[in-house]
Amino acid sequence: MNIQEQALTQNSEKHKVAKIAIIGAGPGGLATAIALRNKGFDVQVYEKAQEFRPAGTGLGLSPNGLNCLEAISPGIVESLKISGTELRQTALKNVSGETIRANTAKYLEKYGQTFIIVWWWNLQQVLASRLPSDIIHLNHRCIGFKQNDSNVEIYFDGGNTVNADLLIGADGVNSVIRETLTGEGKPNYLRSMCWRSVIKYNHELFNSYDLVFIKGNKQFMYLLNVGDGYTSWISRKFLPDCSLSQSAEQVKSRILHELKDWDKSFRAVVEATPAEEIKEHPICDRPPLSHWSQGRVTLLGDAAHPMAPAMAQGANSSFEDAYELQACLSQKSTLEAALIRYEQRRIERTQVIQGRSALGEMRYYETDTETSERQMQERSQLANNDDFQTWLYGYKPY
Ligand SMILES: Cc1cc2nc3c(=O)[nH]c(=O)nc-3n(C[C@H](O)[C@H](O)[C@H](O)COP(=O)(O)OP(=O)(O)OC[C@H]3O[C@@H](n4cnc5c(N)ncnc54)[C@H](O)[C@@H]3O)c2cc1C
């Protein structure tokens, strides 16, 4: 018996959980699969996409998320630095292109870990490369499950069924697993519309900055250098009523219209993007749940705590979940005890991050006067804000 088989046998006896099915090969699902396999569990990942292909936006990976990933898969932070860009310089600009403020990132000095910008797709590739390809089952759209005391039966589009001892729903904001557990329906629209893409485009600003934030009137844009000559642009606008365009061409002309008064260097990145590669979608979250687990089923990442992107914590908190779920399943003697502990370790923290993220999304749309008034009021609470950042970024896996 090899080491992995021995570990698998020990774990199955100890926890009566040998076979784990994860729905979703996003950052959360893949990180969890790596973590659990390293502890000897038999893990299978089911993903609805027919193939891994370029998708998603530029993501900021902060010290808390990177510390958890590194604990799950040593050496991964170095791989991500190569696949993405280590954040050094950032700039805040106005729509005419003038620099209002430039900053040097201080994450390493302050929190002992760096900050990396990476394309969601490249992150998926880095994580998938740390798993055997035969445990990731593409073209498997989960449509539901049924469970009893001894197992979970999971159903897929096309009639496939698999059985597992534990089902982890890591299937994002529109999670089928969460819907089956809660029946809560559609997510909340946060009055913020998003247009985004990642294209091969070396923006002139990247000679000096890795991340540029451009603030307009009730709208803003991020330009992220995701490495290897690729730019991720993310444009958002305050829009109380959610309305979607009818075609790819309409999406592109809509966003160019929104940016009509902006400096041509910002518009140029949108003009250079093929219409069919621009994604338009509403920014949404869901109310926090008091429980993420029922019997042999639990949730993780966006399926458990979808949040506005304002604090750049969606993927980062899914890495925290992955580490903690693995630790709970390895340390607790029963599945029930492990899932109770997992919720105790995760729900309160992610509720705070979700709440702050929704607030942060609206702060993007403040006028300059509103921002300075708020900052005046907050000045007395600065120590609290610093404490909050230390609490957020200083999170370390136990
Ligand atoms: C504009 C924008 C900017 C963002 N910026 C940041 C950032 O800077 N930092 C950060 O940490 N986060 C950021 N996020 C959030 C981040 O993208 C998500 O929180 C993160 O991707 C969640 O990972 P996940 O694995 O839980 O879910 P997802 O990434 O949504 O992955 C879910 C996976 O499940 C699959 N799936 C879905 N349904 C099924 C099904 N029924 N059957 C099988 N498979 C299924 C999907 O195809 C997908 O591969 C941002 C999000 C947006 C929209």
Side-chain angles (χ1 to χ4, degrees), residues 23-24 26-28 47-48 59-60 120 140 142 170-171 301-302 312-316:
I23 306 300
E47 165 59 49
K48 71 177 179 184
L59 300 179
W120 186 96
H140 275 70
C142 179
D171 49 342
D302 275 8
Q313 284 302 309
N316 287 300

Side-chain angles (χ1 to χ4, degrees), residues 23-29 46-48 57-60 120 124 140-142 170-172 176 194 196 234 236 281 300-302 309 312-316 318:
I23 306 300
Y46 300 92
E47 165 59 49
K48 71 177 179 184
T57 185
L59 300 179
W120 186 96
Q124 187 184 45
H140 275 70
R141 176 192 293 271
C142 179
D171 49 342
V176 165
C194 180
R196 59 180 165 87
I234 303 168
R236 297 223 279 284
H281 65 93
L300 181 140
D302 275 8
Q313 284 302 309
N316 287 300
S318 80

Side-chain angles (χ1 to χ4, degrees), residues 199-212:
I199 56 160
K200 189 101 188 170
Y201 187 95
N202 223 335
H203 203 284
E204 62 196 59
L205 288 169
F206 296 156
N207 299 331
S208 314
Y209 308 108
D210 310 305
L211 178 156
V212 181

Side-chain angles (χ1 to χ4, degrees), residues 160-180:
N160 269 2
T161 299
V162 299
N163 286 284
D165 302 317
L166 169 64
L167 167 63
I168 300 172
D171 49 342
V173 58
N174 293 308
S175 168
V176 165
I177 307 303
R178 178 170 172 144
E179 182 60 22
T180 312

